[in-house]
Structures are given as structure tokens and as C-alpha cells.
Amino acid sequence: MSRPLPPIRPVGHVKSTGESLSPDEIRRLCDLLYRRTGMIFGESKRYYIERRVSDRMSATGMPTFPVYFSHVQASEDEVENLINIFTVNETYFYREEHQLQCLGRSLLPNIVQDKKPGDLVRIWSVPCSSGEEPYSIAIWLLENWPLVDAYHIEIVGSDIDTRVLQMAVTGRYGERALSRLPPDVVERYFERPHDGERRIIQDLRESMTFTSVNLVDKASIASQGRFDIVFCRNVLIYFDDTSRLLAATNLYDALNPGGYICLGHTESMSRISNRFRLCRFEDAIVYQRLDGGP
């Protein structure tokens, strides 16, 4: 909930890192984040914004917001750090398990009917956060899809947050992240516990590719090539209509003709773009790239 705006400070006031930002400072910061990520922030998230800005001001030793903001504008590294602390990374293994069931029971059988044994099947998890979702795809297929060894399956995890990508590469997870996995699956795919965490086995870590991607940057998406299936869950809810359409267009271009995209349960591609067909399968509703696209 937003709180009452503070009084306008005199020009030249020196701000401590715990002091409120002015409405204009909030606007300038949110404009930068929107241009760079497509994510919408504003006065309604003042507390969330101020806490994170305060953390970065302390980390960089910047005494006032104007000094810090000038630093952000001059430093791509600090833009990256700022974006990292504003991303939301709520995830765990086997999240929205019904979509994994749909992947094995409906989506992959449709995709491979036009492929030969040994052909490449590309699956993309974006955003992938700290890796639980792309690793879940790999584990689910190994456990449940009989044809998993008949095709060359490539799973790519991508995110705009470079910090969580490094966590994904490392592959260490606590009890909460693993809580939805059956105990025997944990034993097969994770090393012994160490300091309250378990690391995913080396074979799976080495089979996964992790990349940095911005959904509203066409060149960033194009650099990943095309995929047969995309999992893009619970990110479009943070965009406005313009950013959603841009992201949807980029995702459309990232799909092979006839490819599928899985969104979060509160998201609907039908309200964003007419370039996808809604498909109701036994386990889940997904969206298919319409034929005839470029």
C-alpha cells in the first residue's frame, strides 16, 4: 500500500539512504526501469522501491539519490545491479506441475510427430529465475516421458537477472525449493545435503544452458534462436499493455511454426496478441503460434 507523499525537500538537501524519495525521483527511476525491462513500478510500490534503492545507495556509497541516479546513468554495471534487485524470483521445483504433465502427454507428442529420432527439440524457460523451472523440466522428462532418449532435447534457461542466473548454474537448493519433489526423485537427482542445501547432480548441471535475456529487447530474444516450446510464466503480469505486446511479439518470433507457449495461470495470451491459438489440452491451457507467421 502506498503511503502519503513526503513534503518537497529544499534544493540541495542531503538525503540519508533511509529517507523518502520525492515523487519526481520515483518517476525518473521507474521510467528507467520501464525502458530497460518493460516492468511497471510507481507510487503504489513506493516502499518496495525505496528499500531497494537504499540498498544500492549503501552498496555504492552514494550519499543522495541524485548522485546515485547519475551513477546509474553512467554505468551499465550498476543498471544491471539495479535491475537484479527489482526482479521477482518466487519459484520452486515442479511449480504448476499440470503444465509438466501437459508437456509430456500432449505438447511433445505433437512436436515430435514431424521429427525423426535424434532430431533436436528445443525447450525454453524464460524467465528461469534460479533454475528450478528448467531443471524441473529436465527431471520431469527423465522420470515421465518414455521418448526422452529418442530425441536430442536442449533445455535453455534465461533471465534478465544475472545474479539468479549464477545461482542456477551453481544449482544449490534449500528444503523449500525441493518440497514438491518426491523423496526418491530428490535422491536420484541431487547430491547429499550440505549446509542445509542439496546440489543438483553434475550431469544435469552440465546439460543445461543459461543465458541473459530481456523479453522486451528484440535482439536479445533473437540471439537465442527458435524453440519448439516456451515456458514464460508469471512475468507478463508485471508489464503494461505496450510491454506485453512487445514481449508477445518477440516470443512469437522465438517459436518455431506450430510451437507452444505456456503462461502463468493468471495470464492470457488471447488478451495480448491474436498471433496465437488457445489450445485446451487434458492437463493445461497453452498457446500455439499460428501457422503462416514469418
Side-chain angles (χ1 to χ4, degrees), residues 214-286:
N214 185 341
L215 281 174
V216 296
D217 181 353
K218 184 178 181 66
S220 174
I221 298 295
S223 70
Q224 305 303 304
R226 283 191 168 182
F227 295 86
D228 297 294
I229 298 167
V230 173
F231 287 80
C232 182
R233 305 189 289 200
N234 305 307
V235 64
L236 299 181
I237 55 175
Y238 298 102
F239 292 0
D240 67 358
D241 289 345
T242 301
S243 297
R244 287 190 194 103
L245 180 58
L246 179 56
T249 301
N250 291 339
L251 290 167
Y252 177 91
D253 292 338
L255 279 170
N256 286 320
Y260 297 97
I261 183 167
C262 301
L263 300 179
H265 70 279
T266 63
E267 299 169 314
S268 170
M269 188 63 78
S270 300
R271 293 196 292 267
I272 302 171
S273 171
N274 61 4
R275 306 178 79 185
F276 297 85
R277 175 187 297 113
L278 185 149
C279 300
R280 299 180 184 274
F281 290 109
E282 180 178 353
D283 300 294
I285 293 174
V286 305

Side-chain angles (χ1 to χ4, degrees), residues 38-293:
M39 293 187 294
I40 293 292
F41 297 97
E43 279 289 345
S44 64
K45 296 185 177 179
R46 167 175 283 274
Y47 178 68
Y48 179 90
I49 293 167
E50 288 181 336
R51 283 184 58 193
R52 281 150 182 78
V53 170
S54 176
D55 288 345
R56 288 311 307 161
M57 288 174 63
S58 295
T60 56
M62 301 293 166
T64 68
F65 178 81
V67 173
Y68 173 69
F69 195 68
S70 294
H71 173 59
V72 171
Q73 292 174 306
S75 170
E76 279 298 312
D77 287 343
E78 186 55 28
V79 171
E80 180 178 301
N81 290 330
L82 186 66
I83 289 172
N84 286 352
I85 64 171
F86 271 88
T87 57
V88 178
N89 297 299
E90 170 66 20
T91 186
Y92 44 84
F93 282 88
Y94 278 15
R95 187 182 190 186
E96 300 195 36
E97 188 174 346
H98 63 285
Q99 289 186 344
L100 296 175
Q101 294 168 342
C102 184
L103 174 67
R105 187 165 8 213
S106 303
L107 304 188
L108 282 171
N110 287 353
I111 292 295
V112 302
Q113 66 183 356
D114 295 323
K115 295 181 182 288
K116 303 185 298 296
D119 280 355
L120 178 65
V121 176
R122 301 192 78 215
I123 302 174
W124 196 17
S125 174
V126 55
C128 70
S129 188
S130 44
E132 289 92 331
E133 296 193 19
Y135 284 130
S136 289
I137 294 168
I139 292 171
W140 179 270
L141 294 180
L142 289 167
E143 288 290 299
N144 297 283
W145 195 44
L147 298 179
V148 65
D149 293 323
Y151 298 91
H152 176 198
I153 298 176
E154 179 186 3
I155 301 173
V156 178
S158 302
D159 206 288
I160 196 172
D161 187 336
T162 55
R163 175 194 51 182
V164 295
L165 284 174
Q166 186 54 53
M167 294 169 62
V169 171
T170 302
R172 296 185 185 277
Y173 301 100
E175 181 178 342
R176 181 182 180 279
L178 302 172
S179 61
R180 297 286 187 94
L181 292 176
D184 60 318
V185 170
V186 174
E187 291 301 317
R188 277 195 291 277
Y189 296 102
F190 293 83
E191 299 172 357
R192 292 181 180 275
H194 180 72
D195 292 337
E197 295 181 323
R198 300 188 72 142
R199 191 178 194 188
I200 202 158
I201 59 174
Q202 184 175 351
D203 283 353
L204 277 184
R205 295 199 311 271
E206 293 180 349
S207 71
M208 202 74 58
T209 300
F210 290 102
T211 62
S212 177
V213 157
N214 185 341
L215 281 174
V216 296
D217 181 353
K218 184 178 181 66
S220 174
I221 298 295
S223 70
Q224 305 303 304
R226 283 191 168 182
F227 295 86
D228 297 294
I229 298 167
V230 173
F231 287 80
C232 182
R233 305 189 289 200
N234 305 307
V235 64
L236 299 181
I237 55 175
Y238 298 102
F239 292 0
D240 67 358
D241 289 345
T242 301
S243 297
R244 287 190 194 103
L245 180 58
L246 179 56
T249 301
N250 291 339
L251 290 167
Y252 177 91
D253 292 338
L255 279 170
N256 286 320
Y260 297 97
I261 183 167
C262 301
L263 300 179
H265 70 279
T266 63
E267 299 169 314
S268 170
M269 188 63 78
S270 300
R271 293 196 292 267
I272 302 171
S273 171
N274 61 4
R275 306 178 79 185
F276 297 85
R277 175 187 297 113
L278 185 149
C279 300
R280 299 180 184 274
F281 290 109
E282 180 178 353
D283 300 294
I285 293 174
V286 305
Y287 300 88
Q288 184 178 33
R289 171 180 157 141
L290 286 171
D291 294 337

